[in-house]
Amino acid sequence: MSRRGWTLHEMLISLGVMSGVMALAAHLASGQLRFFRNAGELAALRGQIGQASTIASSVLRGVSSAAGDITVALDSAIEVHAPIAAAFVCASTPGRVTIPEPTLGNTLASFIEGPDVGDRMSTLFEDTLGATWLTFQVAEPSVPGGVCPYFPEVASTRTLVFRELVTLPAGAALRFTRPVRLSLYRGSDSRWYLGVRDWNGESQRFNAIQPVAGPLKSYSQDSGTTGLQFWYRDGGGAVLLPPVDPTRIASITIVSRAALGQFDDSTSVTVALRNAR
């Protein structure tokens, strides 16, 4: 005669085995969750510091210390004249210059933003004594110009007024820059960010600071722990000690640091400046 059902001992053994299997499955699932949570935190952390270094380096890549683009060079802040446009001179009278419009297919002008009041206009002047940068200040917003006699293929132009009563030679290359300030600052949420202040031509002052990357570590005078650090080097690779002479800077290293959860990481990017001595 066959038995029906399980004995009490069999049921207890089965329950014990099932409990062990469930406990093992829960442990494995918990480990997987921890792994993916840690991976997410690490990815977010590296995204924070990577974004900070990328933004800072992109602003500094077009900067030239030889042209006087760097005005402030501190450990956690830098103020520069960042390039916004480039063009060639069509024609010029004292205090006025006509340049090509940056239209499709026109290689004689390129604008990230149009020149405005307070922007700086530079041109390289060469004579028997050598080459030097001449710098002028844009005094009025640009207006539609006339023909371009030096480049007859140009269909449309813009005319700019600048403060200095100088006539520029036709065909000269112009470079337009605008003040930008990068710095580590503490936000309203008490966390620290890479902030950017851009220039307001109407008020002739910087706009309010805006966070563009972070959060980063807080500011510290300890260069090994601070959230954002700028290192300045001369042409020989030697670190320039404060107060830094902006004209001697040949390269800038940007170090950004952040912490998230159990992770602490940093990244470093070095930018070699244009025409550095």
Side-chain angles (χ1 to χ4, degrees), residues 97-116:
V97 63
T98 300
I99 60 175
E101 192 79 72
T103 55
L104 183 64
N106 176 19
T107 60
L108 298 172
S110 176
F111 290 4
I112 298 175
E113 293 186 45
D116 203 351

Side-chain angles (χ1 to χ4, degrees), residues 140-164:
E140 298 178 13
S142 63
V143 296
V147 296
C148 184
Y150 198 80
F151 302 106
E153 68 274 19
V154 172
S156 58
T157 63
R158 308 289 295 178
T159 295
L160 288 168
V161 175
F162 52 98
R163 300 186 189 280
E164 297 77 10

